[in-house]
Amino acid sequence: MAAPALVLLSPARIPDPGDASWRDWLTAEEISFSHGFQRAHEHLAARKAAKAAVASLLGLPADPQLCRALEVLRAPGSGPVLRLGGAAAHLLRGAGLPHPRVSLTHARGHAAALAWLPVPKAGAR
């Protein structure tokens, strides 16, 4: 099974929240959600980092086309949920892999994301 993947983005690699380049990597829903926070650039960057981490986890290139087929969503009161489409969804189905999980964090202009494939609990069928 693939090792967890971690991506860290430093402030120098994070554009301003209004930068048009976010549309290359994030969906309209992700952008809208992130702009609901005071430090929108950190929320945007955490989602981009999550997509890059998932791509790394699956051995795929973290290019805009792949990243727009991945969507990091969050319902009130819950953690981030990854919605997969495109090559990533096809790869998981074909390999019989579980749905990746992601964890996001951000502080002081930095953003990071961890992606991993869950391991079935012992004795679970």
Side-chain angles (χ1 to χ4, degrees):
M1 183 151 313
L6 176 68
V7 172
L8 172 66
L9 298 178
S10 66
R13 295 180 52 205
I14 300 174
D16 291 330
D19 192 300
S21 68
W22 288 117
R23 290 191 299 268
D24 294 338
W25 297 95
L26 305 177
T27 66
E29 187 173 349
E30 290 170 313
I31 292 169
S32 176
F33 175 82
S34 297
H35 278 275
F37 295 94
Q38 186 174 12
R39 295 185 329 259
H41 64 292
E42 291 178 5
H43 290 267
L44 293 162
R47 278 152 182 74
K48 182 178 177 182
K51 293 175 181 206
V54 169
S56 176
L57 177 74
L58 299 178
L60 298 171
D63 62 31
Q65 181 177 355
L66 170 72
C67 289
R68 287 195 44 82
L70 304 175
E71 195 168 29
V72 181
L73 305 171
R74 183 170 168 241
S78 72
V81 175
L82 182 66
R83 184 184 303 163
L84 294 161
H90 180 73
L91 176 68
L92 286 172
R93 279 193 304 271
L97 295 172
H99 193 87
R101 303 292 194 264
V102 294
S103 180
L104 314 177
T105 190
H106 49 80
R108 297 184 184 237
H110 292 80
L114 176 67
W116 70 96
L117 295 174
V119 177
K121 293 180 181 176
R125 291 183 184 217

